[in-house]
Amino acid sequence: MTQADDFGFGTQIRKSPYFDATVRWGAQGFSVYNHMYIPRDFGNPEQNFWNLVNDAILCDVAVERQVEITGPDAAKFVQMLTPRDLSKMAVGQCKYILITNAEGGILNDPILLRLAENHFWISLADSDILLWAQGVAVHSGMDVQICEPDVSPLQLQGPKSGLVMQELFGEEIMDLKYYWLREYDLDGIPLVVSRTGWSSELGYELYLRDGSQGDALWERIMAAGMQHSLKPGHTSSIRRIEGGMLSYHADADINTNPFELGFDRLVNLDMEADFIGKAALRRIKEEGPKRQQIGLVLDGEPLKGPNTTFWAITKEGETIGKVTSAVYSPRLDRNIALAMVAAEHATLGAHVEVVTHSGPTGATVVERPFYDPKKKIAAA
């Protein structure tokens, strides 16, 4: 969708508190995520990538809606939603979690934030977990309140993001550890700030707790970032695929289980706590997953943009899986992709064929992530 006098699918697609600011700052195209507009185009995606990896970008990710869980049983309830062991999660900590259904299928891969002993936010990828959580609560017998609060995140990502944050919050912000959060008041703008983000670069997320101040917050950050080459931007497909980060509905969905993605570390089958999908995940682990996520390097000319359909992967004429996310990386100077294949074909160095939109091409199975596999940059 391109910029016209008014963007419009009607009122059922919500606009973020930063919508007008992003249009003012050059957003030219939008996608829909969690029933909201998200800017996907500020001109050249390759330039957006270089802005991110060399300097810093500010992204409107208000589409990462929050599910707020409070009440005396909040911690117990949240543990029921995820196979990741939360018993040692401190107040002020964030964790990447999977939310699974009774079959062990992934419903979402959000960031969980613990704001207080009995106060959690689930910061969502693209699916309706508010409805799932409220549904789970109905017959749970637990004392919890579940709602969507007035909270809208921005992502400030890239190697210079720390400098911009110091302009805004002073030197003390540099003590904020990877995957921890802090509450701030920025001249009357209430925020939660975390050292997280969907870029695999150094970065922060700023959760605005008052939607009426979206415009003011956006302009304040852009002004603070002026001298550090901060640009408005959008989450980079190139960088997130390099980093092997999942896009829900593309690389994982309700029929994908954690073991297919190599996410064994996010599943604790030995903990006492019961969680939804425990029996199914135990069975899947014992039998071994039937599919496996792999990385691919595709031959041929640089792709003009990300894939918009799943591309079939074949070996000796037989379909063995599909490419879920593909893009050309200018830094690696190669076409890279995340893919899901039958487990017996997930062998490093194996050669396969991919049926792209412009015809079949050769591809090689490689390690993923494609860049900075130990996530040293983001954790630095």
Side-chain angles (χ1 to χ4, degrees):
M1 185 177 63
T2 53
Q3 191 172 341
D5 293 334
D6 194 18
F7 290 94
F9 295 121
T11 51
Q12 78 274 27
I13 306 297
R14 291 189 291 171
K15 292 180 175 175
S16 97
Y18 315 110
F19 182 87
D20 293 339
T22 61
V23 173
R24 228 175 23 248
W25 281 85
Q28 295 165 21
F30 289 75
S31 178
V32 173
Y33 191 105
N34 278 330
H35 315 288
M36 288 182 73
Y37 296 100
I38 180 172
R40 291 302 300 146
D41 182 359
F42 278 88
N44 182 340
E46 199 168 300
Q47 186 56 53
N48 180 70
F49 166 79
W50 290 120
N51 292 344
L52 165 63
V53 301
N54 292 330
D55 299 310
I57 59 173
L58 183 64
C59 309
D60 171 6
V61 291
V63 296
E64 291 174 7
R65 301 314 299 163
Q66 308 304 303
V67 175
E68 180 168 88
I69 300 171
T70 54
D73 294 327
K76 194 173 156 196
F77 181 82
V78 171
Q79 181 65 83
M80 194 164 75
L81 298 179
T82 179
R84 183 161 192 185
D85 185 353
L86 304 177
S87 59
K88 296 187 171 67
M89 185 178 189
V91 172
Q93 200 170 9
C94 312
K95 280 192 187 292
Y96 178 56
I97 63 168
L98 303 174
I99 292 180
T100 46
N101 68 8
E103 284 74 52
I106 296 171
L107 300 179
N108 205 284
D109 66 319
I111 301 289
L112 177 68
L113 298 86
R114 188 170 199 171
L115 286 88
E117 198 60 34
N118 294 315
H119 187 182
F120 295 84
W121 286 347
I122 302 173
S123 187
L124 295 180
D126 188 13
S127 71
D128 292 303
I129 295 303
L130 178 67
L131 304 181
W132 172 256
Q134 289 184 345
V136 168
V138 170
H139 299 296
S140 69
M142 292 191 208
D143 187 353
V144 288
Q145 289 77 49
I146 301 170
C147 68
E148 181 183 295
D150 175 8
V151 173
S152 301
L154 285 170
Q155 290 196 8
L156 177 62
Q157 305 281 304
K160 294 183 182 171
S161 59
L163 297 172
V164 181
M165 292 295 281
Q166 283 183 73
E167 301 281 349
L168 292 164
F169 301 103
E171 293 236 328
E172 65 172 68
I173 194 72
M174 300 320 284
D175 307 337
L176 186 60
K177 296 200 295 271
Y178 192 43
Y179 271 78
W180 287 77
L181 65 86
R182 239 177 241 169
E183 299 189 41
Y184 279 99
D185 185 298
L186 184 66
D187 302 331
I189 303 176
L191 298 169
V192 167
V193 172
S194 66
R195 264 282 307 278
T196 54
W198 202 58
S199 73
S200 298
E201 292 291 323
L202 169 68
Y204 298 83
E205 289 185 280
L206 297 92
Y207 295 77
L208 172 64
R209 304 179 85 165
D210 172 5
S212 70
Q213 303 204 55
D215 221 76
L217 178 61
W218 178 278
E219 293 297 342
R220 180 73 196 270
I221 298 169
M222 289 307 298
M226 191 88 64
Q227 59 180 322
H228 301 296
S229 309
L230 176 64
K231 298 282 188 296
H234 56 85
T235 53
S236 170
S237 297
I238 301 169
R239 187 62 187 95
R240 75 101 186 152
I241 296 171
E242 278 188 353
M245 301 183 86
L246 297 187
S247 176
Y248 191 76
H249 294 306
D251 309 302
D253 59 22
I254 196 168
N255 299 310
T256 312
N257 68 65
F259 299 116
E260 293 175 327
L261 297 166
F263 275 151
D264 307 44
R265 69 184 177 85
L266 300 180
V267 178
N268 186 333
L269 296 168
D270 302 326
M271 65 178 161
E272 268 178 53
D274 204 13
F275 58 83
I276 297 167
K278 195 174 196 178
L281 288 168
R282 185 168 280 143
R283 192 183 65 246
I284 292 163
K285 187 174 185 182
E286 280 166 11
E287 293 171 0
K290 309 237 181 324
R291 304 185 301 169
Q292 203 70 51
Q293 191 192 53
I294 56 167
L296 284 178
V297 170
L298 281 64
D299 305 337
E301 291 297 303
L303 295 168
K304 295 280 182 276
N307 58 313
T308 54
T309 56
F310 295 112
W311 294 340
I313 303 172
T314 63
K315 182 132 188 172
E316 288 152 19
E318 176 201 357
T319 300
I320 59 165
K322 63 182 181 180
V323 166
T324 56
S325 293
V327 78
Y328 170 70
S329 164
R331 165 161 57 186
L332 303 175
D333 190 23
R334 47 180 53 173
N335 295 319
I336 58 174
L338 299 174
M340 187 67 82
V341 295
E344 63 271 21
H345 292 288
T347 316
L348 289 177
H351 294 285
V352 296
E353 197 164 76
V354 175
V355 186
T356 72
H357 55 71
S358 53
T361 186
T364 308
V365 179
V366 297
E367 289 272 13
R368 62 191 208 308
F370 301 88
Y371 191 82
D372 184 32
K374 298 274 186 279
K375 296 272 189 250
K376 285 182 180 155
I377 296 172

